[in-house]
Amino acid sequence: MWYAIEGYDGEHALDRRKATRERHLERLATLRDLGRLLVAGPCPAIDAEDPGPAGFSGSIVIADFASLEEARAWADADPYVEAGVYTRVEVRPFRQVLP
């Protein structure tokens, strides 16, 4: 089943995000390579493709997991959680309707 994972950046998290980005992307690439990633990306903190020093308000990942517990465990092990980029992570089932 698909699960939506939303991580919310804390204050002044941009430097931690940049320092941890490669490890974060490696985990997403693994899901992609297994055919389990629908979409993933950051949410700019301002209305701009490149938010510069404003950074990001968080990220969204929609991926396939066997259960809600598995999705939560995967989200809890994210390098952004470990590095303190995310102050909060929400995981909930997602049902794709379109496209």
Side-chain angles (χ1 to χ4, degrees):
M1 180 168 184
W2 294 112
Y3 291 90
I5 301 169
E6 293 183 74
Y8 297 86
D9 285 24
E11 297 271 332
H12 312 292
L14 185 57
D15 288 338
R16 291 187 303 276
R17 178 183 270 273
K18 288 178 181 178
T20 315
R21 186 171 189 262
E22 288 307 313
R23 290 191 305 131
H24 172 76
L25 292 177
E26 286 171 6
R27 295 180 81 235
L28 291 169
T30 298
L31 287 178
R32 178 201 61 211
D33 294 347
L34 293 171
R36 294 175 46 199
L37 183 64
L38 182 64
V39 67
C43 301
I46 61 173
D47 188 15
E49 182 73 24
D50 179 357
F56 299 89
S57 61
S59 302
I60 297 171
V61 173
I62 299 178
D64 181 41
F65 293 95
S67 66
L68 180 58
E69 292 76 22
E70 183 183 312
R72 284 186 177 141
W74 186 90
D76 288 345
D78 193 290
Y80 281 177
V81 171
E82 178 184 315
V85 173
Y86 295 153
T87 57
R88 175 172 58 106
V89 177
E90 294 183 8
V91 181
R92 59 186 181 269
F94 176 81
R95 195 181 83 178
Q96 183 180 5
V97 174
L98 294 171

